[in-house]
Amino acid sequence: MLNRRQFLRRSALGVGAACISVHRPFLHAWDEPGLELRARPGRAALVDTDNPTEIWGYNGRSPGPLLRVSQDDSISVGLRNDLPMPTTIHWHGIRIDNAMDGVGNLTQAPVEPGETFSYRFSAPDAGTFWYHPHFRSWEAMARGLYGMLIVEEHEAPFVDQDIVLILDDWRLDEDDRLDERSLGNLHDAAHAGRLGNVLTANSHPGPTIPVRFGERIRVRLLNAANARVMNLEFAGLAPQVVALDGQPVSRQRTPQARLTLSPGARADLLVDVDLEPERRASLKLITRGGEVPAAEFLAGPERARSAPLISSFALPSNPLATALSLADSHRLELSMEGGAMGRMNSARYQGEQFSMRELAAKGQAWSLNGEAGMPEKPLFSVARGRTVEVAMLNDTRWPHAMHFHGHHVQVQSTSAHDQAGTWRDTVLVDTEENLSVAFVADNPGRWMVHCHMLEHQAAGMATWFEVL
Ligand code: C2O
Ligand code: CU
């Protein structure tokens, strides 16, 4: 829980730590050929600038450099591993060549300490994506290893500011050090996953973002937490969701103050700022224990224009295969079982059937279709171009954020959330919810499907499929 003490501690610090300009420092000159990302230890002022926390970051920073590329450009990034454990980079949400997907032991060998790997790919979809390791990600990402990848539209609609907000919750001890002892804790893995006690935006404790009355801003939100589903609320601004997981939302939505973002998910928001000069607005995380401020927006003394824009804003659509042929689709069920207070008695693991107790001894607590952990055979295998329908049944007491690699999937029907019709790469499936998704399996290779609550993934909720 984000407790009162920490909340207060952060507010007290708010003044000193305020006023970082959230977008510009993260802009990265991409043009330099052969950008290198060094995964290495570093420090970040998560709570207090005088007492920065030891983290892991790309080029020693968390979040890592903001990568901005153009749609369809060829991208090349060298990874150098200066961490004490193997790593990879996964380009979350990019419909990428399979060999560049960065999944340790599925699409590539993990990159050993001191070694390098070069990623070359292009990004067919414009939008908000991110990158992170895909080997022991529960540990590396709890330590801060991730960054945002923005793919710019060939013709982006006009905004005055493009603001990136990467939200994370960190589990820190009394001295603001990362709580390392609890890494890999099985109790966390069998419950909600690792939840932090300090909330940051771009690794700052409640940054203040300067805006102006009349400005049109695009806010790119990412939930980079290991496991926390974030229920967010805007006070003083009326954002409109224009894209989810990088894919433009088709119907024009009305502004909404509340938004739920699962781990791994992104939302692009459009805001026409109508804050009078010197007034503040805020983005808050709503928790059971109360509200926690994530970021503030402060209107400067000048107005950008005399009245906020009223013209509509629409993102160009991406070249996704949206024509699903449901009549002759490949259909399957994906049943999620396990976790604390669940009904699972046993599951297969590495080819053998084990009881819950035996699984726990092996660090496993969850299963997908009766199998804990990556099975040797794919969940399914289909010819390229086939429509696939997956009916997910969450038979557990916990929500899960199911992430599909190499594809985006359309939510078909759901018994809970209002997300039907949206295209996602990460789909939140609530407890006891039945939710089905469909997509055209048009990207050949071996692709993971897993829960993006990283402890759930490590404790069994991971599988893969194959497109031939
Ligand atoms: Cu963002 Cu398979 O991960
Ligand atoms: Cu999960």
Side-chain angles (χ1 to χ4, degrees):
M1 273 290 109
L2 296 147
N3 65 37
R4 189 78 195 151
R5 182 182 64 85
Q6 262 137 350
F7 170 29
L8 289 174
R9 201 164 53 148
R10 291 192 320 109
S11 319
L13 275 162
V15 185
C19 274
I20 58 148
S21 168
V22 178
H23 50 302
R24 286 177 196 92
F26 293 98
L27 282 180
H28 197 277
W30 180 267
D31 301 330
E32 45 186 283
L35 173 81
E36 189 181 63
L37 292 177
R38 272 179 184 238
R40 65 171 176 87
R43 283 168 179 275
L46 303 176
V47 179
D48 183 347
T49 35
D50 295 332
N51 182 26
T53 301
E54 286 177 23
I55 53 101
W56 287 1
Y58 292 107
N59 300 347
R61 288 187 279 151
S62 178
L66 174 64
L67 307 183
R68 266 181 194 274
V69 303
S70 298
Q71 191 170 10
D72 299 319
D73 266 9
S74 339
I75 299 159
S76 104
V77 182
L79 163 66
R80 193 189 149 82
N81 184 7
D82 289 332
L83 295 173
M85 74 175 192
T87 194
T88 62
I89 301 181
H90 168 57
W91 310 91
H92 181 127
I94 303 287
R95 296 185 298 124
I96 202 167
D97 281 351
N98 190 248
M100 297 290 121
D101 199 39
V103 177
N105 298 322
L106 183 69
T107 67
Q108 71 169 95
V111 180
E112 295 295 325
E115 302 283 298
T116 60
F117 187 89
S118 84
Y119 291 95
R120 283 165 198 284
F121 59 95
S122 63
D125 300 323
T128 302
F129 301 94
W130 64 306
Y131 61 98
H132 65 72
H134 222 294
F135 181 83
R136 282 177 75 92
S137 44
W138 52 272
E139 174 175 0
M141 291 163 75
R143 294 178 181 276
L145 198 61
Y146 52 74
M148 188 177 271
L149 169 60
I150 294 176
V151 181
E152 283 178 343
E153 293 80 15
H154 290 301
E155 282 176 47
F158 169 81
V159 290
D160 293 290
Q161 282 203 73
D162 192 331
I163 292 164
V164 165
L165 286 176
I166 301 174
L167 305 177
D168 196 1
D169 65 339
W170 304 74
R171 194 184 289 183
L172 304 185
D173 66 17
E174 294 292 308
D175 301 319
D176 299 338
R177 281 187 306 235
L178 199 101
D179 181 349
E180 293 183 326
R181 278 171 317 163
S182 60
L183 282 167
N185 178 305
L186 186 65
H187 181 273
D188 284 347
H191 291 75
R194 181 184 178 88
L195 301 178
N197 50 16
V198 168
L199 179 73
T200 59
N202 303 342
S203 297
H204 286 266
T208 298
I209 301 153
V211 296
R212 289 175 302 165
F213 176 91
E215 248 184 352
R216 173 163 277 192
I217 62 179
R218 179 173 182 170
V219 181
R220 301 175 190 260
L221 282 178
L222 158 65
N223 179 351
N226 275 38
R228 182 184 292 275
V229 175
M230 295 190 180
N231 293 309
L232 300 166
E233 190 177 295
F234 283 87
L237 291 178
Q240 188 188 323
V241 177
V242 291
L244 291 168
D245 293 351
Q247 302 300 345
V249 294
S250 48
R251 57 196 155 99
Q252 201 63 36
R253 312 226 162 187
T254 42
Q256 55 178 92
R258 279 186 175 237
L259 174 81
T260 297
L261 216 53
S262 76
R266 288 88 64 214
D268 284 49
L269 309 174
L270 180 79
V271 190
D272 285 310
V273 179
D274 60 358
L275 271 184
E276 292 295 331
E278 317 292 351
R279 300 294 282 272
R280 289 171 187 271
S282 65
L283 170 63
K284 297 175 293 189
L285 177 75
I286 311 296
T287 72
R288 252 183 269 155
E291 298 176 348
V292 184
E296 267 202 340
F297 298 84
L298 171 62
E302 264 140 48
R303 290 165 192 257
R305 45 185 70 83
S306 56
L309 294 174
I310 45 163
S311 57
S312 68
F313 176 97
L315 291 167
S317 58
N318 281 321
L320 265 187
T322 52
L324 301 167
S325 54
L326 295 173
D328 64 345
S329 65
H330 178 89
R331 282 182 206 187
L332 69 143
E333 283 190 355
L334 187 63
S335 144
M336 309 167 196
E337 289 185 274
M341 299 171 284
R343 281 187 279 263
M344 183 168 100
N345 296 316
S346 72
R348 259 188 332 279
Y349 178 61
Q350 297 182 337
E352 266 184 81
Q353 197 73 20
F354 290 109
S355 70
M356 265 306 247
R357 271 183 78 132
E358 291 167 322
L359 289 168
K362 296 171 189 305
Q364 299 296 299
W366 306 90
S367 70
L368 293 173
N369 288 1
E371 182 112 23
M374 288 288 274
E376 205 170 305
K377 294 217 180 95
L379 178 68
F380 63 90
S381 174
V382 286
R384 185 175 185 180
R386 187 89 189 266
T387 295
V388 177
E389 265 182 281
V390 187
M392 296 189 278
L393 318 167
N394 181 356
D395 190 15
T396 79
R397 305 297 295 271
W398 306 90
H400 300 291
M402 299 304 291
H403 172 46
F404 289 74
H405 281 221
H407 299 79
H408 283 236
V409 302
Q410 189 183 38
V411 179
Q412 300 296 299
S413 65
T414 153
S415 53
H417 297 281
D418 170 36
Q419 44 179 353
T422 59
W423 288 89
R424 311 296 308 253
D425 58 47
T426 308
V427 185
L428 186 61
V429 188
D430 223 330
T431 173
E432 320 262 280
E433 181 176 7
N434 292 351
L435 183 151
S436 65
V437 298
F439 63 102
V440 179
D442 57 358
N443 198 355
R446 303 169 143 209
W447 303 107
M448 261 190 104
V449 179
H450 63 88
C451 179
H452 220 285
M453 279 104 175
L454 303 174
E455 292 72 27
H456 293 178
Q457 176 191 351
M461 296 195 82
T463 186
W464 60 288
F465 64 98
E466 188 172 34
V467 181
L468 302 166

